Amino acid sequence: MNLLKINTLKELRESGYVSRSVKEELRENLIKELKNKNTVLEGIIGYEDTVIPDLQTAILSQHNILLLGLRGQAKTRIARLMINLLDEYVPYIEGSELFEDPLNPISWFGHHILEIKGEDTPVAWLHRSERYTEKLATPDVTVADLIGDVDPIKAATLKLTYSDERVIHFGLIPRAHRGIFVINELPDLQARIQVALFNILQEKDIQIRGFKLRLPLDIQFVFTANPEDYTNRGSIVTPLKDRIESQILTHYPRSIDISRKITQQEAKITPSQRTSIEADGLVKDLVEQIAFEARDSEYIDKKSGVSARLTISAYENLISNAERRMLLNGEENTFVRISDFLGVIPAITGKIELVYEGELEGPSKVANILLGKAIKTLMITYFPDPEKLKKAKSINPYADIISWFAAGNTISLIDDLSLGEYKKSLESVPGLKNVIKQFHPRLSDNQKVLLMEFLLHGLAEFSLINKSFLDKGFSFADMFNSLFSQEFEDDEDEDYNDDKGRY
């Protein structure tokens, strides 16, 4: 804070201040953090043994960095967190649009003001939060946007010729001098624009039209990109890729636990939702399992990936769907049910890229298929595997449930059911409550009721009972009766000949 009281170049020299490049700042501050065993990238989960060590190595090597990975893998977030490794404040020549170092001016303005004012050159201080620049690469980005161009209005106003350096209007990259510059989705940048970056990365200078201009820019570049074969939009030109010293591969969470931590950290859940809505570990894991199933699904383009934003949005929708039901029923609190996952479908359909087979099925049906697979996967972690029970020929704990449905009974679980109606419907199924008591005796009442519904969905996924989709919920019935009923309805449709109801 004593440095901030320095207002002139003379005071800055007398303070003993030593200039450092951006890469030196990052390197030396990282060394301090590592020695002190501090967390360098706060909030980045799942990369502790993979991405973060590679990133630290690149910073220690003073490299420009390319973060390569599918969407939703925290690439941009990593880049933004790098500003925490910069010095909190750095001095610059007051009035300089390039925030030039008073001890190392690079532009006409910087040299000119030092020549005029000398040791009395005014000094201001720049916070590290202002030393970060980010640009999303789009096909319409021009060289002028990134590097700069001649400004004819400035030339006319100042009565300068076009050969004068002062007529240049600097682009984003020169204005990021002494900071971190990020280009997101680099392959989307046209090849001719990528070529314009060659000199900046290699020679540390820029070229604008016919100017013989050498600005020794001091910038830490961070690029993000999806793998080159992600889409046909473009790719990184080979010479540019060659000039980016470190390429770091990111990845999706490798376990449900890590994925769940990310979702719980990022999901925007209000304090009132947290206090009034109970979300069991089962439903949290089910949200994450949907994403894992999607990444392995034959209906979804694996090159596109399934973003972590899917689970974040899905969890937010899940909580909000339960909250909506609670408000409609005039209840003060509730818990998330499996039927609430109907509200998750919109969060899934907008975040998956379907292949041809998936397009034939439709996004909503694919989303329901993913939910069903996730339920089936988790079913065997909570209850005995129905398929193994068949082979073992042992006593089937689900026999009473299946027999009840086989007798022609059905149950409908509508999304808007009050808590009392919901419990009454589930408890009407003989044997259902007993299975929960047998395998999970120590759970709370809410957890037991949730598991009762989950077990019905699980049995349906193993084709032991039938599950039908309703507008606002699910209906469960006997598998074989449902099949015969469906076939009879199809036959009726074939015999129905005209629009007046005649056969």
Side-chain angles (χ1 to χ4, degrees):
M1 297 305 294
N2 291 331
L3 285 174
L4 299 182
K5 297 176 182 177
I6 294 173
N7 297 313
T8 65
L9 177 59
K10 180 180 179 181
E11 293 173 354
L12 187 65
R13 291 189 197 277
E14 289 175 349
S15 72
Y17 180 82
V18 177
S19 296
R20 296 185 294 176
S21 70
V22 176
K23 289 184 169 70
E24 287 172 342
E25 271 184 60
L26 291 168
R27 172 184 160 79
E28 291 172 22
N29 290 335
L30 175 60
I31 289 171
K32 289 179 186 176
E33 296 297 317
L34 293 177
K35 284 182 177 178
N36 293 329
K37 309 293 183 185
N38 292 334
T39 302
V40 177
L41 297 175
E42 192 70 40
I44 300 297
I45 301 170
Y47 286 167
E48 294 82 2
D49 300 321
T50 52
V51 176
I52 292 176
D54 291 342
L55 183 69
Q56 292 170 348
T57 301
I59 292 172
L60 292 173
S61 299
Q62 301 184 56
H63 285 175
N64 293 308
I65 297 165
L66 170 62
L67 296 170
L68 190 66
L70 297 174
R71 58 183 177 179
Q73 293 185 352
K75 301 186 293 295
T76 303
R77 179 162 189 165
I78 289 171
R80 290 173 181 171
L81 287 173
M82 283 177 63
I83 64 169
N84 295 327
L85 290 173
L86 294 172
D87 291 343
E88 188 172 4
Y89 288 95
V90 291
Y92 69 97
I93 300 172
E94 190 173 351
S96 169
E97 61 181 327
L98 302 185
F99 301 107
E100 297 167 74
D101 185 346
L103 303 176
N104 294 297
I106 63 170
S107 73
W108 181 91
F109 173 85
H111 290 296
H112 179 68
I113 199 165
L114 252 71
E115 186 178 331
I116 294 174
K117 298 192 175 181
E119 294 294 287
D120 294 325
T121 298
V123 171
W125 293 85
L126 186 69
H127 190 261
R128 61 186 168 207
S129 62
E130 299 177 87
R131 298 171 66 194
Y132 178 87
T133 306
E134 185 177 303
K135 177 64 177 172
L136 176 63
T138 54
D140 62 335
V141 172
T142 64
V143 174
D145 294 333
L146 292 181
I147 298 175
D149 204 349
V150 172
D151 187 345
I153 296 176
K154 188 185 286 188
T157 304
L158 299 176
K159 297 180 180 179
L160 300 171
T161 65
Y162 283 177
S163 62
D164 195 305
E165 182 185 328
R166 286 172 286 175
V167 304
I168 293 175
H169 173 78
F170 291 111
L172 285 170
I173 292 178
R175 291 173 186 274
H177 176 56
R178 304 179 73 203
I180 297 171
F181 187 79
V182 178
I183 297 182
N184 278 321
E185 309 300 342
L186 183 59
D188 285 353
L189 211 58
Q190 291 184 36
R192 64 184 182 84
I193 313 299
Q194 293 185 38
V195 169
L197 300 175
F198 288 1
N199 261 26
I200 298 174
L201 290 174
Q202 191 69 39
E203 308 298 335
K204 307 293 190 294
D205 64 10
I206 62 173
Q207 203 161 38
I208 298 175
R209 294 194 181 264
F211 281 94
K212 289 175 116 184
L213 182 66
R214 290 187 67 85
L215 288 179
L217 295 172
D218 178 21
I219 299 173
Q220 169 68 56
F221 282 96
V222 180
F223 304 97
T224 75
N226 289 289
E228 289 183 47
D229 57 352
Y230 166 38
T231 63
N232 295 321
R233 293 179 304 184
S235 60
I236 305 172
V237 296
T238 305
L240 176 60
K241 204 170 183 181
D242 184 57
R243 285 168 167 81
I244 304 171
E245 297 94 336
S246 284
Q247 175 178 291
I248 299 171
L249 300 177
T250 59
H251 55 81
Y252 286 122
R254 292 177 175 172
S255 71
I256 292 289
D257 287 341
I258 292 173
S259 185
R260 181 168 154 178
K261 285 178 183 176
I262 294 170
T263 300
Q264 297 304 308
Q265 174 182 276
E266 300 299 322
K268 296 180 179 66
I269 306 300
T270 66
S272 64
Q273 287 176 328
R274 292 185 190 279
T275 55
S276 60
I277 300 164
E278 177 188 336
D280 188 69
L282 166 61
V283 296
K284 291 177 180 178
D285 286 349
L286 198 51
V287 168
E288 308 307 328
Q289 190 62 44
I290 290 172
F292 276 76
E293 298 294 342
R295 288 169 192 143
D296 290 331
S297 175
E298 59 185 356
Y299 297 120
I300 295 173
D301 187 358
K302 291 180 175 57
K303 293 178 182 178
S304 169
V306 177
S307 168
R309 286 182 280 272
L310 183 148
T311 55
I312 296 166
S313 298
Y315 185 70
E316 291 169 347
N317 269 17
L318 190 65
I319 297 296
S320 296
N321 199 76
E323 181 181 36
R324 174 184 169 276
R325 182 186 62 254
M326 178 185 73
L327 296 171
L328 289 174
N329 291 326
E331 298 169 344
E332 293 186 1
N333 52 67
T334 189
F335 61 92
V336 177
R337 307 170 187 172
I338 305 300
S339 51
D340 286 319
F341 276 84
L342 285 174
V344 167
I345 303 302
I348 300 173
T349 54
K351 291 180 174 59
I352 51 176
E353 295 287 336
L354 302 179
V355 295
Y356 177 71
E357 291 81 0
E359 294 288 355
L360 291 177
E361 295 288 344
S364 294
K365 186 172 181 181
V366 169
N368 281 313
I369 290 171
L370 296 176
L371 173 58
K373 287 186 174 180
I375 290 172
K376 188 173 183 178
T377 300
L378 290 186
M379 166 76 174
I380 57 176
T381 66
Y382 284 83
F383 300 102
D385 186 341
E387 291 179 351
K388 289 183 179 178
L389 288 174
K390 289 178 186 177
K391 295 175 183 177
K393 295 181 180 180
S394 57
I395 298 173
N396 190 338
Y398 314 126
D400 290 344
I401 302 170
I402 297 168
S403 298
W404 186 77
F405 283 109
N409 297 297
T410 62
I411 179 177
S412 296
L413 297 177
I414 306 301
D415 179 33
D416 295 339
L417 286 177
S418 67
L419 181 57
E421 293 170 325
Y422 177 67
K423 286 182 177 179
K424 185 178 178 181
S425 295
L426 289 169
E427 288 173 354
S428 68
V429 182
L432 188 56
K433 197 171 186 177
N434 293 334
V435 175
I436 308 303
K437 284 182 179 179
Q438 181 181 350
F439 295 103
H440 301 281
R442 298 182 180 179
L443 297 180
S444 67
D445 290 342
N446 287 347
Q447 288 174 318
K448 288 177 181 177
V449 176
L450 172 65
L451 273 180
M452 288 166 71
E453 184 189 1
F454 176 71
L455 179 55
L456 290 180
H457 285 270
L459 293 176
E461 293 304 324
F462 280 93
S463 301
L464 297 176
I465 60 175
N466 181 67
K467 177 171 71 174
S468 302
F469 289 90
L470 306 175
D471 287 340
K472 292 184 178 181
F474 302 94
S475 175
F476 298 92
D478 177 56
M479 175 61 70
F480 296 105
N481 287 342
S482 299
L483 288 174
F484 294 143
S485 174
Q486 183 64 42
E487 288 176 6
F488 180 71
E489 288 173 5
D490 291 342
D491 291 340
E492 279 189 341
D493 290 341
E494 290 174 9
D495 293 335
Y496 191 79
N497 292 324
D498 63 22
D499 58 354
K500 294 183 180 179
R502 294 192 295 263
Y503 290 86

